Amino acid sequence: MNPPAPQITEKSRYNLLTLLSFVAVAVLLLVVAMLWRNQSGTNEKLAVLAEKNSHLRDQLSTARSELDFFKTGDSRAGAKKTPIKAATSVTKSAEEPETLFLQEPSVIRTGSGLIARFGFDPVDSQTLPEMITLVIRVPSKSETTILSLKPVTESAYSNVDVVVNAKGNLGMIEGSPADLQALEFELTVSGPATVTVRGSKGIKAFEMDVAESGCTVRKL
């Protein structure tokens, strides 16, 4: 004679349903955690891509600005029409390590405006680049204009090209320095201004607030 089948009591049924509910909740939480993790990873990748995209847009904008300048600019110092290659090197320099360090600028008041003198010191044992290029801007809406741009010791440079556009808000200087002590420049502006300076290999972009009381610098 077979033994009677065990009877499932109401309490046992309740306990079983409770256990199944906990298991279902645990599975749901695990699924949510996995989805959140995947979403977080996706967001991080999107952030990296957005940063790269922004950097590329900045480089493209800089290149276009340089090209527009050299298409419409004029020469106030007998410059040669060869700055497009220089502009390209300035754009690429954003990825280069800083090997030419900006020294504290000084400002002199003259009858025509303000002269900002600034220079660079190379890292020890570093070979000086064959060409030094600087591209200088003042805000297009500013009343201040660039009057002149030149190396302090012009005799220490060969093949010096200087270009200032017709509006006086954008200028470029390029030359081959003859020795390591020749990395000083003079920028003359008609009045106080915030000046943006971008350079070729080894020079990190920076801003100068040029005023009669002096000059402050911010790295970009």
Side-chain angles (χ1 to χ4, degrees):
M1 183 175 182
N2 294 328
Q7 299 294 319
I8 299 177
T9 64
E10 189 67 28
K11 184 176 180 180
S12 298
R13 185 180 291 109
Y14 174 79
N15 290 339
L16 179 60
L17 290 175
T18 302
L19 178 61
L20 291 175
S21 298
F22 280 128
V23 171
V25 171
V27 171
L28 180 61
L29 290 176
L30 180 61
V31 171
V32 170
M34 293 177 65
L35 290 174
W36 179 83
R37 182 178 180 182
N38 290 339
Q39 183 65 32
S40 298
T42 301
N43 289 339
E44 290 177 1
K45 291 178 181 178
L46 288 175
V48 171
L49 289 174
E51 183 177 354
K52 290 182 178 179
N53 189 37
S54 177
H55 181 65
L56 289 173
R57 283 201 306 267
D58 290 343
Q59 286 189 330
L60 180 60
S61 177
T62 300
R64 285 177 175 172
S65 297
E66 303 296 342
L67 185 58
D68 290 342
F69 159 52
F70 293 122
K71 284 181 178 179
T72 60
D74 65 345
S75 170
R76 299 185 182 181
K80 300 177 182 178
K81 299 296 184 177
T82 57
I84 290 182
K85 181 175 68 175
T88 303
S89 67
V90 171
T91 302
K92 292 182 178 179
S93 69
E95 302 295 335
E96 298 289 344
E98 185 176 14
T99 57
L100 299 174
F101 291 91
L102 177 67
Q103 303 305 296
E104 185 175 358
S106 61
V107 178
I108 303 172
R109 176 69 186 181
T110 67
S112 58
L114 300 173
I115 299 177
R117 175 177 288 191
F118 59 97
F120 302 90
D121 262 356
V123 175
D124 292 340
S125 75
Q126 286 289 334
T127 302
L128 198 66
E130 293 182 3
M131 298 295 291
I132 297 293
T133 304
L134 295 176
V135 176
I136 297 179
R137 290 183 176 87
V138 297
S140 57
K141 295 182 180 179
S142 173
E143 295 181 357
T144 299
T145 58
I146 299 173
L147 301 179
S148 70
L149 176 63
K150 64 180 182 179
V152 171
T153 308
E154 294 189 52
S155 61
Y157 281 75
S158 59
N159 301 320
V160 178
D161 293 332
V162 178
V163 179
V164 177
N165 70 347
K167 295 181 179 179
N169 61 1
L170 188 60
M172 189 206 77
I173 183 170
E174 180 181 67
S176 176
D179 61 67
L180 295 179
Q181 307 302 318
L183 301 176
E184 286 189 299
F185 303 89
E186 283 188 349
L187 169 69
T188 303
V189 290
S190 60
T194 298
V195 180
T196 302
V197 182
R198 298 186 184 277
S200 52
K201 183 177 180 180
I203 298 175
K204 186 173 178 60
F206 59 94
E207 279 186 345
M208 292 192 301
D209 289 330
V210 181
E212 293 188 20
S213 57
C215 184
T216 56
V217 175
R218 292 181 300 277
K219 291 292 182 69
L220 297 177

